[in-house]
Amino acid sequence: MKRGLSQTCYVFFSVISNPTRLAILENLLRGPMNVSQLTELLKQRQSMISHNLRPLLRCGFIKVERRGKERFYSLNGETVEHLFRVVENHSQKYCPTMGVCPSKEEKRR
Amino acid sequence: MKRGLSQTCYVFFSVISNPTRLAILENLLRGPMNVSQLTELLKQRQSMISHNLRPLLRCGFIKVERRGKERFYSLNGETVEHLFRVVENHSQKYCPTMGVCPSKEEKRR
DNA sequence: TAAATATATGAAAAATTATTCATATCATGA
DNA sequence: TCATGATATGAATAATTTTTCATATATTTA
């Protein structure tokens, strides 16, 4: 069953448009990590990390390798680097306040 | 106020991880369009189109030009093309069923 | 200026997604 | 094999986001 471009994109982007999952990806940029390390780094519950690893894995952003009882997760391919680069370029060029969008900002106050 | 990479990415990706907004972007790939045209093409309410145009505008994915009572929206820069290309590459390479992720698929049945 | 058309907006309701808790699984070493 | 440590998972709740409806605003033309 083939799917249109924007539908494929939706599956794809909905997986990465989440602060926890993005933080996981950002941390994995530095190298493979197991669940406990991610849990500690992101200061979140372990179950939350696991729940968030799953969609990343399912859509091929990361891969996993077992070592004993631990599981090491690492980035799969260059997709994440490419994406982050596109975002950085875009935000530098078009977003007046470096990715801080006005209305989100108001919300925060 | 500077913000970390993954936070910038979150603002950015949360804007495009929506089927309506992606469909708008996909259609604008072919050229500028006004709200009525988008409304008809996407078969959605006009208010929904307007509501969804706003975040796209706010984050610089699109720009707008007034002509009489109409407003023509068009893509801003190459960000969208770049993003779509990254997704296509990724899904061809890593997603077994061309962007159709197993668990989303199950959900649909 | 009144009517008509195009678009935007606020607020409520509906839908989706994230988070937590409790517990299950699974591999290891005593 | 039992205890331990690491990770995963299901289900309930909480939080966020989308969608709709009603209506406002703005521009043009009669």
Side-chain angles (χ1 to χ4, degrees), chain B residues 28-74:
Chain B
L28 293 183
L29 234 34
R30 293 187 281 150
M33 277 187 198
N34 66 27
V35 178
S36 309
Q37 292 173 304
L38 286 168
T39 299
E40 189 162 349
L41 261 169
L42 305 194
K43 294 180 196 349
Q44 305 274 269
R45 323 248 155 191
Q46 176 268 314
S47 69
M48 186 170 162
I49 300 297
S50 284
H51 275 308
N52 279 293
L53 283 165
R54 198 159 57 162
L56 290 172
L57 195 61
R58 188 184 68 211
C59 281
F61 289 105
I62 59 179
K63 50 187 190 292
V64 63
E65 193 195 336
R66 295 165 93 123
R67 270 186 245 163
K69 21 186 174 185
E70 296 160 56
R71 298 198 185 184
F72 282 81
Y73 286 89
S74 56

Side-chain angles (χ1 to χ4, degrees), chain A residues 3-44:
Chain A
R3 178 180 285 191
L5 179 55
S6 72
Q7 280 173 69
T8 303
C9 286
Y10 176 56
V11 172
F12 186 98
F13 289 129
S14 59
V15 170
I16 52 179
S17 75
N18 170 291
T20 304
R21 295 197 284 274
L22 283 167
I24 289 174
L25 293 176
E26 192 179 18
N27 278 287
L28 293 182
L29 233 34
R30 293 187 281 150
M33 276 186 200
N34 67 26
V35 178
S36 309
Q37 292 174 303
L38 286 167
T39 300
E40 189 162 350
L41 261 168
L42 305 194
K43 294 180 195 348
Q44 305 273 265

